[in-house]
Amino acid sequence: MTDRESSNIRRARIYSSAADAGPLEENASKQEAGAPSRLGDGAFRWDGVDVLAYKDEGSAPFRAITRQVLFQRPELSCELRYFEMAPGGHSTFERHNHVHGVMIFRGRGLCLVGEEVREVAAPDLVFIPPMTWHQFRASAGEPFGFLCMVNAERDKPQLPTPEELAELQKNPAIAAFLAQAD
Amino acid sequence: MTDRESSNIRRARIYSSAADAGPLEENASKQEAGAPSRLGDGAFRWDGVDVLAYKDEGSAPFRAITRQVLFQRPELSCELRYFEMAPGGHSTFERHNHVHGVMIFRGRGLCLVGEEVREVAAPDLVFIPPMTWHQFRASAGEPFGFLCMVNAERDKPQLPTPEELAELQKNPAIAAFLAQAD
């Protein structure tokens, strides 16, 4: 076996719900015991993958959400990221020219895509088309995580102006979605 | 709610182990009953995603493996595919200039990357560098599935020549990996 540090294989770890606590269990040791790997209630971490702030604090509205970049390589024209929200957390309500290919990875929550508000659960797929307002919310009282494939070269997200927000909120489904406790 | 046909959200379905049987349960209905979505023992299907042959029969060696293209869009410079093997199944032993970003999605199995043979389990990450021999095997007596992110524009895979195969099999780990029942 190659040394883990130089390996192209990154083991997943499942941490307790306190993000800074030590690993409760690791897939490798579970495998050795013959137990199947299960997604626990804890946060997902991968060897060699840093847990990052979702965005720079104050740059946009978001809450209780972390970002992990799983694949970002010069040979790949896309990146694969993993976003995880604590209960009550949400991503930024935004739009941009680039698209997202999303797979719900753990738990369930709500997503808004354009004028569509849906409850989604792992492993549902969500496509975010260009210039489409969108947001994910961990509204089900449980952690909510999703994978997001995105072009490596992409434009910056846009936030709604107060006027755009007022216009959007004329749609009752969008108004109810955005009115959830922040 | 938008009609499912025109939605950007694709529900996941979990089928019984017989791939052609009807759906046993669907996330949407499980959600409505308040039960959490769980990965079952059955095969994964998504609304609107066809289950395809892994490759054209006879074009390369492979066994008991299907392909589903989860995201393939003109706006995305990568594709996200899901490959699922029945117990004993395997992907083609091959190499190519393009790289793969792989996440093990269900179960566990073996992978060969270059000279590294590892048991991997969901949700481990595997990066396949350029021109690196690789193969996945469902060797653990259970179904084995993985997500694979790949550039939309890519070269064709290469199979080993008999001479290359003989050279590779001088490595005992590779020889043992390839010698598994086919």
Side-chain angles (χ1 to χ4, degrees):
Chain A
M1 295 234 176
T2 315
D3 176 54
R4 180 166 297 178
E5 290 304 305
S6 65
S7 172
N8 287 301
I9 299 167
R10 295 175 185 168
R11 295 285 186 199
R13 292 166 183 261
I14 301 168
Y15 280 70
S16 72
S17 54
D20 52 354
L24 278 186
E25 43 195 0
E26 189 179 348
N27 278 337
S29 57
K30 291 172 79 179
Q31 286 168 224
E32 280 150 25
S37 287
R38 284 284 167 221
L39 308 188
D41 285 340
F44 279 95
R45 303 287 181 263
W46 287 268
D47 280 354
V49 176
D50 294 330
V51 180
L52 305 169
Y54 171 67
K55 293 181 177 178
D56 290 339
E57 197 69 44
S59 65
F62 60 88
R63 182 176 175 176
I65 176 169
T66 59
R67 173 170 60 100
Q68 295 178 75
V69 182
L70 305 184
F71 290 110
Q72 183 184 49
R73 300 265 187 167
E75 306 95 333
L76 279 169
S77 53
C78 283
E79 299 171 5
L80 188 68
R81 298 95 48 86
Y82 175 60
F83 297 94
E84 193 169 87
M85 286 161 268
H90 61 77
S91 63
T92 300
F93 180 67
E94 64 185 28
R95 68 178 181 182
H96 34 66
N97 273 311
H98 64 271
V99 304
H100 290 315
V102 167
M103 173 185 277
I104 309 303
F105 187 70
R106 67 173 301 199
R108 60 203 170 106
L110 287 178
C111 74
L112 168 65
V113 183
E115 300 195 347
E116 182 180 13
V117 176
R118 276 283 184 90
E119 188 174 355
V120 288
D124 289 345
L125 304 176
V126 182
F127 180 72
I128 314 287
M131 290 304 284
T132 304
W133 297 109
H134 61 281
Q135 188 176 46
F136 290 86
R137 285 183 173 261
S139 55
E142 62 181 306
F144 179 44
F146 61 88
L147 299 168
C148 177
M149 183 171 77
V150 69
N151 286 348
E153 290 192 20
R154 56 189 185 269
D155 61 321
K156 281 190 192 300
Q158 303 172 14
L159 300 178
T161 64
E163 294 72 26
E164 285 170 330
L165 204 53
E167 185 64 28
L168 287 161
Q169 286 172 322
K170 290 180 182 171
N171 179 322
I174 297 178
F177 177 86
L178 295 174
Q180 289 174 84
D182 207 14
Chain B
M1 296 238 175
T2 315
D3 176 54
R4 179 165 297 178
E5 289 305 304
S6 64
S7 172
N8 287 300
I9 299 168
R10 294 175 186 168
R11 297 284 186 200
R13 290 165 185 260
I14 301 168
Y15 279 70
S16 73
S17 53
D20 52 355
L24 278 185
E25 43 197 0
E26 188 180 349
N27 278 337
S29 56
K30 292 171 78 180
Q31 285 167 227
E32 280 152 24
S37 287
R38 285 282 168 220
L39 309 188
D41 286 340
F44 279 96
R45 303 288 181 263
W46 287 267
D47 279 354
V49 176
D50 293 329
V51 179
L52 305 169
Y54 171 67
K55 293 180 177 177
D56 290 338
E57 198 69 45
S59 64
F62 60 89
R63 180 176 174 179
I65 176 169
T66 58
R67 173 171 58 101
Q68 296 177 74
V69 182
L70 304 184
F71 291 110
Q72 183 185 48
R73 300 267 188 166
E75 307 96 332
L76 280 169
S77 53
C78 283
E79 298 172 6
L80 188 67
R81 298 95 48 87
Y82 175 61
F83 296 96
E84 194 169 86
M85 287 161 269
H90 61 78
S91 64
T92 300
F93 181 65
E94 64 186 28
R95 68 178 181 182
H96 34 66
N97 274 310
H98 64 272
V99 304
H100 289 314
V102 168
M103 172 185 277
I104 309 303
F105 188 68
R106 69 173 301 200
R108 59 202 171 104
L110 286 179
C111 74
L112 168 64
V113 183
E115 301 196 346
E116 183 180 12
V117 176
R118 277 281 185 90
E119 189 174 354
V120 288
D124 289 345
L125 304 176
V126 182
F127 180 71
I128 313 289
M131 289 306 281
T132 303
W133 295 110
H134 61 280
Q135 189 176 46
F136 291 86
R137 285 183 174 263
S139 55
E142 61 182 305
F144 180 43
F146 61 89
L147 299 168
C148 178
M149 183 171 77
V150 69
N151 286 348
E153 290 192 20
R154 57 189 184 269
D155 61 321
K156 282 192 193 297
Q158 303 173 12
L159 301 178
T161 64
E163 295 72 26
E164 285 169 332
L165 204 54
E167 185 64 28
L168 287 161
Q169 286 172 323
K170 291 181 182 172
N171 179 322
I174 296 177
F177 177 87
L178 294 174
Q180 291 173 84
D182 208 17

